[in-house]
Amino acid sequence: MGKDTKYRVLVVDDEFLARKLLCEYIQKIPSLELVGSVSNAVEAFALLQRQPVDLLFLDIQMPDISGLELAYNLKNGPAIIFTTAYSEHALESYELHTVDYLLKPIAFPRFFTAVNKAIERLGAVAAVSEKQEPSGSRLTTLTQDYLLVKADHKIYKINYSDLVYIEGQREYVTFHTLNNRITAYYTLKNLEEQLPSDRFLRIHKSYIVSFHYIETLEGNVVTIAGEKLPIGGSYRDILLEKLDPK
């Protein structure tokens, strides 16, 4: 990226004054472009679905859905700088490859240092992407054989081989595995893009299934590990082609 590159920034914090201060800081740095300032994770997730964001300033302690829970569900999302009054989440935040962790109250020099770290990382990622073939961005997803899912204040490792199907429930999904059911803050759309297409397929607006566990197909119903699930009209032909590619 050139020297005139603008990095799109989103601020997420439930405290008005904290958002206001970060927005003022962002406006002082010519290479940053503020695209939004929201008070909760649900609004942030909706905005991230609508437009690209390069850098996310994310509070941790927020009602309903914490910043950490949001971050766990942003696959291939923006670079993240956490902003919080609590230091005890620092270790967990770095498991998410966080750029930096700013403790409130945030002084501008410390903010400026964090921004420079983020710009360096974003520039490095862009340089690597330019050298890769179009399929390069999929290599990590295709070689990984599991999902890490944050739910109930825990991190679950779900092996693809144990994942039977996923059921969408508005802002949440339930992962149905061989031995467990895990409900977490995800969207089927993001999971459809992340999961390997040779092993999983969306069959309905509310379901993604594993090919391995499909038992029968009758009309617009598929039986998978003993469960009967509906097939959406727009997905049936794709399912049939996958099952019988001749």
Side-chain angles (χ1 to χ4, degrees):
M1 291 188 177
K3 63 181 180 179
D4 296 326
T5 297
K6 286 275 191 178
Y7 295 95
R8 296 161 298 226
V9 184
L10 172 63
V11 174
V12 187
D13 198 307
D14 63 330
E15 297 178 2
F16 171 76
L17 292 178
R19 294 199 308 276
K20 183 174 182 292
L21 179 65
L22 287 172
C23 290
E24 290 174 355
Y25 284 174
I26 289 166
Q27 289 166 355
K28 291 182 180 182
I29 301 178
S31 58
L32 300 184
E33 176 187 356
L34 182 66
V35 298
S37 172
V38 298
S39 62
N40 59 71
V42 174
E43 289 183 68
F45 194 82
L47 189 147
L48 288 164
Q49 302 302 302
R50 296 194 305 268
Q51 67 180 78
V53 171
D54 301 307
L55 177 59
L56 183 63
F57 285 94
L58 182 59
D59 187 23
I60 290 180
Q61 297 286 352
M62 294 187 292
D64 300 324
I65 299 170
S66 74
L68 286 171
E69 289 170 328
L70 174 62
Y72 272 109
N73 290 281
L74 295 178
K75 306 303 178 184
N76 302 317
I80 297 175
I81 295 176
F82 280 109
T83 60
T84 180
Y86 304 91
S87 60
E88 62 265 29
H89 298 293
L91 181 60
E92 185 176 3
S93 76
Y94 283 109
E95 292 177 1
L96 293 159
H97 306 291
T98 306
V99 173
D100 212 336
Y101 188 97
L102 301 181
L103 285 175
K104 300 175 182 177
I106 303 166
F108 183 74
R110 181 68 182 89
F111 172 88
F112 187 73
T113 298
V115 167
N116 281 332
K117 288 171 63 176
I119 288 175
E120 287 181 7
R121 179 177 295 187
L122 289 167
V125 170
V128 170
S129 298
E130 288 174 1
K131 294 178 181 179
Q132 290 179 332
E133 295 180 0
S135 60
S137 60
R138 294 287 295 169
L139 291 178
T140 300
T141 302
L142 292 175
T143 57
Q144 184 170 304
D145 202 40
Y146 61 88
L147 283 173
L148 290 179
V149 173
K150 177 73 180 296
D152 306 322
H153 307 291
K154 302 175 185 176
I155 301 174
Y156 294 89
K157 180 184 178 186
I158 302 178
N159 294 320
Y160 289 159
S161 58
D162 295 331
L163 181 55
V164 180
Y165 68 93
I166 306 168
E167 181 181 4
Q169 301 157 323
R170 295 189 178 180
E171 293 89 1
Y172 293 85
V173 302
T174 296
F175 298 88
H176 295 258
T177 72
L178 291 176
N179 302 306
N180 205 356
R181 292 184 180 182
I182 302 164
T183 298
Y185 184 72
Y186 265 88
T187 68
L188 284 182
K189 180 178 183 297
N190 283 351
L191 287 167
E192 186 179 10
E193 294 173 354
Q194 180 184 357
L195 291 167
S197 60
D198 60 331
R199 301 180 67 169
F200 296 92
L201 178 68
R202 190 164 186 173
I203 63 164
H204 187 272
K205 65 180 182 179
S206 300
Y207 294 101
I208 293 175
V209 302
S210 167
F211 286 120
H212 180 73
Y213 292 104
I214 291 177
E215 297 170 356
T216 62
L217 172 63
E218 183 177 0
N220 289 324
V221 175
V222 63
T223 302
I224 179 164
E227 294 286 334
K228 294 186 182 298
L229 303 179
I231 303 170
S234 60
Y235 297 98
R236 192 173 190 278
D237 289 344
I238 298 173
L239 175 59
L240 288 172
E241 184 180 344
K242 288 281 188 178
L243 290 173
D244 186 10
K246 295 178 182 179

